[in-house]
Every structure is written in C-alpha cells, then in structure tokens.
Amino acid sequence: MSENVGRWLRDEIENAILSYEFAPGERLDETVLANRFGVSRTPVREALMQLDAIGLIEIRPRRGAIVIDPGPHRIYEMFEVMAELEGLAGSLAARRLDKASREAITATHGRCEQSAGAGDSDAYYYDNEEFHKAIYAASRSDFLQEQCVQLHRRLRPYRRLQLRVRNRLSTSFSEHCAIVDAIFAGDGDEARRLLRTHVGIQGERFSDLVASMATR
Amino acid sequence: MSENVGRWLRDEIENAILSYEFAPGERLDETVLANRFGVSRTPVREALMQLDAIGLIEIRPRRGAIVIDPGPHRIYEMFEVMAELEGLAGSLAARRLDKASREAITATHGRCEQSAGAGDSDAYYYDNEEFHKAIYAASRSDFLQEQCVQLHRRLRPYRRLQLRVRNRLSTSFSEHCAIVDAIFAGDGDEARRLLRTHVGIQGERFSDLVASMATR
DNA sequence: ATTGTCATTCTTGTATACACAAACATTGAC
DNA sequence: GTCAATGTTTGTGTATACAAGAATGACAAT
C-alpha cells in the first residue's frame, strides 16, 4: 500500500483497466469506487485525475470519467510508435553496451529460450517483457527507458492476445536471437531495423486479428 | 477559464514552470498557490497530481511537490527521442501526404521563410513550431501527433535558447527546405533522416551551450 | 402519441475542517 | 560545546459538507 492512498488507488484502478475489469467506455463512478476501496472520494478523485493525465481515462467536466477505448486503429498507431522507440533503444544499446547490460540481456534471452522451447506462452509472455526491458535499460537513456516502459505497459493487454497465435512464439524467439546478435556485434543500424520490424509486426498482427474478428 | 478550476490551474502552473517562473527544484506550497490563484487547496492538489503524472513535478509523500530539474543530460535524451518521433512523423507524412496537409506544410513553411528572411527570431520561433506541427498532423497518426506535441511542449524552453545562436536561423530554414522537398517527393526514408538530424542537432547544440556555460 | 418543459435527483466540483507526519528549533544533559 | 530528545510549528493527507450542473422522468400541451 504505496505510502499514500491516492497512488495506491491509481495503480489499482490502472491495473483494473488494463486487465479489462473496467471495460473501455465504462463509466467510473467516484462514490462507487470510494465504497469499493473503503476510502473517501478525495483520493479516488486524485487517482482519476492522474489516470486522465496519463491518458487511460477521460474526465469530461461535470459528467464523470469513462475508460478510454483506444480502438484498433489507435492501438496500431501505438505499436508503430513503440516500434520506433524500441528501434532507437536497440541502436543505442548496440553502441553503448557494457558488461552489466550484456549480462542482463543474455540472462533474459536465455529465459525466453527456455519458455519458448517449452511452448509455455504464459511464461514467455513474462520473460519477453523482461528481455525488452533489458534492452531499454541497455540504451543508457533514462528518458527513453521510461517512455518505453510506459508505452509497453499500455500495450500489454494487446500483446498478450497474440502470443497464442500459431508459431508466433518460436518466430518471436528467433527474431530475438537476431536482435541479440546485432546488439552484441555493435551493429546499431541492424539492431534498430530488426527491433522495429519485430515490434511493428505485433501491430500488424493485431490489425489482422481485429479484422478476422470483425468478419466473423 | 477552462470549465473547471483544476484544469485551468494545471495549465496555469504548467506554463509557469515551462517559463521558469517556478524554477527547477523549487518547492510548490499548496496553500501559497491556493492563495495566489484565489481558490482552495483542493483544485490545487488536483492540478499538482496531474503535473506529477505528466512528469513536470515530483510529489514526495508527506514532503510536498518540487519542480523537476531535468538536467542537461536528460534534456539531451529528450531531444534524442523527439528526433526519432519526428523522423517517424516525417516518414509517414511523405507516404500519406494529401492535399490539405500539403497546403498546411507549404503555408507554415512560407511563414518560416519570411521570418527567417527578416531575421526575426521571435517570429521564427513561433512559425517553426507551426511548421513542425503541420508535419505531425500530416503523419495522419493521432497518437504520434499527440506524443510529438507533448514532447515538443516540454522541450520548448530549451529550443528557444538556441535560436539566438549565430546562423542557426538560416541553417534551420535551409534544413526545412530539404525536409519539405523530401516529403513532397514522397521519399519517406529521406524525410526521416533529415528530420532526425534536424531535431537531433538541437540536442547537440543544447549540450554545447551547457558545456560552454559550465566552463565560463 | 409525441414532444417540450420543468422539477427532482444524482453526481461532480469546490471548500473547509481535522488528523497526522515531518522538519525545525529549543533546551537540557553529558 | 555538542548531541540528543522533546515540543512546536508547518504543511500534507483524508474526510465530509455544501453548492452547482447535468441527466432523467413525469406531466402537460399540441
């Protein structure tokens, strides 16, 4: 319970939104939330204001807060930006790689290999996240790292959908291998290119998924 | 006075921070702010929470809010990310250019030409901003556009410093020309490359500036 | 039957009050 | 003279009360 109730609530509500417990478009009633969490309205409002600032909900003056529904197109756009940022992170990582970062990447990459080999998509989902975070950290750019982590977080629910797709798991891992090679070889441009497509593909896969669901 | 006091205060305080009225490191006292703006502490707190979420200030539990001092290195990192995002925007703009965007770019580019020719760095500062925003819009990616505008806003104070540097004004404009050519020619890769260096240079200039001030 | 207006009710927006924690200063002891 | 402990003060964190605006439903008029 992170020091003050406002922050705790922010994280709590954020998780609820990202896990679809609060559905997109749903109205968030301050009083209801306050009762549910056993606090007064004040910290609830503080949490909501923060989520509004982050862009997860929208507060319309005098009309309450609703969960933002990004919509397939906007999610694709977010993947597009994510791909670009990850590409930059990879490029910087390749140029600035030091021992600690190299070991972190090797370790997380190894864990991905295990879970991919075992076909455990839940484990891979988690290990994959750590692998990408290791690359962000290796970029040695605090700001970039923060931006990447934040976007990654917002895209998390949509990533998860795709790992169940046939062969995606092993394809993803082989892409990781090429990325690691490029970074360790100090080839920034190649790392950038590989990461950009690696992440960009997820946006396209997501579009395909939505398209196939729409025609169904 | 934007509908509700909280938002108004958020914008008001944000501007005060970005214009250095509230200096980096300065402590923001809720009661003082409330008196200054003639409101109670509640909307002040809401504004502060939002600014914290955006990353402009830091609220340490039970110890109040302080204005974040990004520091030269972090500002450089921010320019680095900005360069990447603008590069993407330019690349998309080149591919997706339509009539309206083309006209918007031409118009803002023309205004830059005038103010650059007149040597009016204040006017150029404003026109330059509009020019870049026209490119964001031309990318046809709402999310990217929002991200760019937000980062642009945060970097605004540091951009301003540099336009006074000798020859920067005319150099900047000639870079604009090349960028416009690439976008209008539909050459996404070239537009990306040019924009990346155009913006990246600003980060480097900023570093130079800080270095020269430090040795002084 | 449909539409428009008014009133009621519900929810948000703001203010104020109170509680509690942290920083600071003052005093006393070693 | 210095350090520690305690009291005071200041300012944040939470709750609650009150005001104002929006949604909803009912009733009347066309």
Side-chain angles (χ1 to χ4, degrees):
Chain A
M1 193 139 155
S2 155
E3 279 300 340
N4 73 15
V5 182
R7 308 239 172 145
W8 171 65
L9 275 177
R10 171 169 63 86
D11 295 341
E12 208 69 19
I13 299 174
E14 182 174 353
N15 286 333
I17 291 174
L18 290 180
S19 64
Y20 286 114
E21 190 180 341
F22 296 145
E26 184 175 337
R27 173 123 172 269
L28 298 177
D29 188 303
E30 296 178 355
T31 314
V32 171
L33 288 172
N35 289 334
R36 166 171 174 164
F37 291 105
V39 295
S40 84
R41 272 181 53 221
T42 308
V44 171
R45 303 200 85 236
E46 290 180 345
L48 291 181
M49 310 241 61
Q50 291 183 69
L51 293 174
D52 177 75
I54 294 174
L56 267 178
I57 66 174
E58 185 186 349
I59 299 180
R60 293 164 306 174
R62 301 227 161 254
R63 299 182 59 192
I66 57 168
V67 179
I68 290 222
D69 179 8
H73 184 245
R74 171 167 262 255
I75 292 167
Y76 178 80
E77 291 178 355
M78 291 167 77
F79 272 111
E80 209 167 36
V81 170
M82 180 93 247
E84 204 67 17
L85 293 182
E86 294 224 20
L88 175 59
S91 143
L92 293 177
R95 275 193 274 156
R96 302 177 180 170
L97 195 72
D98 63 358
K99 194 156 171 292
S101 302
R102 187 189 184 96
E103 284 169 3
I105 291 176
T106 306
T108 52
H109 183 54
R111 281 199 285 277
C112 284
E113 182 170 19
Q114 290 191 341
S115 45
D120 184 343
S121 76
D122 282 337
Y124 187 80
Y125 170 74
Y126 178 76
D127 294 332
N128 175 61
E129 196 163 314
E130 295 302 310
F131 172 72
H132 281 270
K133 281 186 183 164
I135 294 178
Y136 307 156
S139 76
R140 306 278 215 84
S141 169
D142 290 343
F143 182 74
L144 176 60
Q145 188 178 352
E146 287 166 20
Q147 294 291 106
C148 283
V149 168
Q150 199 178 326
L151 234 188
H152 192 106
R153 224 174 127 69
R154 282 185 67 178
L155 288 174
R156 186 184 288 168
Y158 313 109
R159 258 181 230 273
R160 188 155 215 166
L161 286 174
Q162 310 166 44
L163 282 178
R164 303 263 159 71
V165 175
R166 218 166 73 84
N167 285 337
R168 179 64 201 141
L169 215 141
S170 60
T171 312
S172 171
F173 177 71
S174 65
E175 287 167 5
H176 280 199
C177 292
I179 290 165
V180 171
D181 288 345
I183 291 177
F184 285 4
D187 188 342
D189 289 337
E190 182 68 359
R192 180 199 295 268
R193 200 182 58 74
L194 288 170
L195 264 164
R196 199 149 65 192
T197 59
H198 174 63
V199 177
I201 277 179
Q202 303 188 61
E204 280 153 31
R205 295 261 164 176
F206 180 79
S207 292
D208 295 348
L209 206 68
V210 171
S212 70
M213 285 168 72
T215 54
R216 177 176 53 87
Chain B
M1 194 139 155
S2 156
E3 278 302 339
N4 71 18
V5 181
R7 309 239 171 146
W8 171 64
L9 275 177
R10 171 170 63 85
D11 295 342
E12 208 69 19
I13 299 174
E14 181 174 355
N15 285 332
I17 291 174
L18 290 180
S19 65
Y20 286 114
E21 190 180 339
F22 296 144
E26 183 175 338
R27 173 125 171 268
L28 298 178
D29 187 304
E30 297 179 354
T31 314
V32 172
L33 288 172
N35 289 335
R36 166 168 175 167
F37 292 106
V39 295
S40 85
R41 271 181 54 221
T42 308
V44 171
R45 303 199 85 236
E46 290 180 346
L48 292 180
M49 309 243 62
Q50 292 182 71
L51 292 174
D52 177 75
I54 295 174
L56 267 176
I57 66 173
E58 186 185 348
I59 299 181
R60 292 163 307 176
R62 299 234 158 250
R63 299 184 59 194
I66 57 167
V67 179
I68 289 220
D69 180 7
H73 185 244
R74 172 168 262 257
I75 291 166
Y76 178 80
E77 291 178 354
M78 291 167 77
F79 272 111
E80 208 167 38
V81 170
M82 179 95 249
E84 203 68 17
L85 293 182
E86 295 224 19
L88 175 58
S91 143
L92 293 177
R95 275 194 275 154
R96 301 177 180 170
L97 195 72
D98 63 357
K99 193 156 172 291
S101 302
R102 188 190 185 97
E103 284 169 2
I105 292 175
T106 306
T108 53
H109 183 53
R111 282 198 284 278
C112 284
E113 183 171 18
Q114 290 192 343
S115 45
D120 184 342
S121 77
D122 282 337
Y124 187 81
Y125 169 74
Y126 178 77
D127 295 331
N128 175 60
E129 197 162 312
E130 295 302 311
F131 173 73
H132 281 269
K133 282 187 181 164
I135 293 177
Y136 306 157
S139 77
R140 307 277 214 85
S141 170
D142 290 343
F143 182 73
L144 176 60
Q145 187 179 352
E146 286 165 21
Q147 295 292 107
C148 283
V149 168
Q150 199 178 327
L151 233 188
H152 192 107
R153 221 174 129 69
R154 282 185 68 178
L155 287 173
R156 187 185 287 170
Y158 312 109
R159 258 180 230 273
R160 186 155 217 163
L161 286 174
Q162 308 167 44
L163 282 177
R164 302 265 160 69
V165 175
R166 217 165 73 83
N167 284 338
R168 180 63 201 140
L169 214 141
S170 59
T171 312
S172 170
F173 178 71
S174 64
E175 286 167 6
H176 280 199
C177 293
I179 290 164
V180 171
D181 287 345
I183 292 177
F184 285 4
D187 190 342
D189 289 337
E190 181 68 1
R192 178 198 297 267
R193 200 183 59 74
L194 288 170
L195 264 164
R196 197 149 66 194
T197 59
H198 174 63
V199 177
I201 277 180
Q202 303 189 61
E204 281 153 32
R205 296 262 163 174
F206 180 80
S207 292
D208 296 347
L209 205 67
V210 171
S212 70
M213 284 167 71
T215 53
R216 177 177 52 87

